[in-house]
Amino acid sequence: MQQTKTYKLNLIETSDTFSPDPLNENTEKLEAEVSAEAAARAAGDAALDQRVTVLEGHKIVSGIYIGDDANQRVFPLGFTPKIVLVQYGGNVPVMGVPERPTMVTLQENAFAVGINYNRNGTTYFYAVIG
């Protein structure tokens, strides 16, 4: 009796006497391969679900605002930022830091800009990572 190259399944030849044993062996081999593939897919799906959960835990928001000369302007986010970058014109972006309240500060569920980054009529761009 011959066998296939990859999975070593039994190949029944026309000269073989009929016996259910080679067919049963084939069925058992196929079931083992299908079970192994299903387990590998389930493990891959679980790993992907875990990575998606981690990714969904991070928030990224960007936008623009027009300055209004207020001493402080607060932007609610719904999550606490880890990094806030604010830029206007061609200037280098400034990162939010607690020590410089006249610039950009991080708050719980928000960020705030001080007067230095809220000049009337100036368009500012911001990016927030939480």
Side-chain angles (χ1 to χ4, degrees):
M1 180 169 294
Q2 295 181 4
Q3 292 185 328
T4 61
K5 291 179 186 177
T6 305
Y7 295 107
K8 306 298 182 205
L9 298 174
N10 296 314
L11 295 173
I12 299 171
E13 299 176 27
T14 56
S15 60
D16 290 339
T17 58
F18 180 77
S19 170
D21 293 339
L23 295 175
N24 290 340
E25 287 175 18
N26 286 349
T27 302
E28 289 172 5
K29 289 177 185 177
L30 290 172
E31 184 172 1
E33 289 295 324
V34 169
S35 295
E37 177 64 23
R41 286 179 185 258
D45 289 350
L48 182 59
D49 286 346
Q50 181 181 13
R51 289 167 49 193
V52 167
T53 300
V54 169
L55 182 60
E56 287 175 341
H58 297 286
K59 307 287 187 213
I60 299 173
V61 174
S62 65
I64 63 170
Y65 66 94
I66 309 289
D68 63 8
D69 272 346
N71 284 334
Q72 185 183 53
R73 189 166 171 186
V74 177
F75 295 87
L77 296 169
F79 63 92
T80 300
K82 293 181 179 163
I83 298 173
V84 176
L85 297 173
V86 178
Q87 179 180 16
Y88 65 94
N91 294 321
V92 176
V94 64
M95 186 181 308
V97 291
E99 300 84 27
R100 312 260 328 249
T102 60
M103 297 177 108
V104 179
T105 57
L106 309 179
Q107 300 180 357
E108 187 172 335
N109 295 317
F111 75 94
V113 294
I115 188 68
N116 289 349
Y117 278 82
N118 196 29
R119 298 291 180 201
N120 191 45
T122 302
T123 300
Y124 297 89
F125 304 89
Y126 65 86
V128 182
I129 300 173

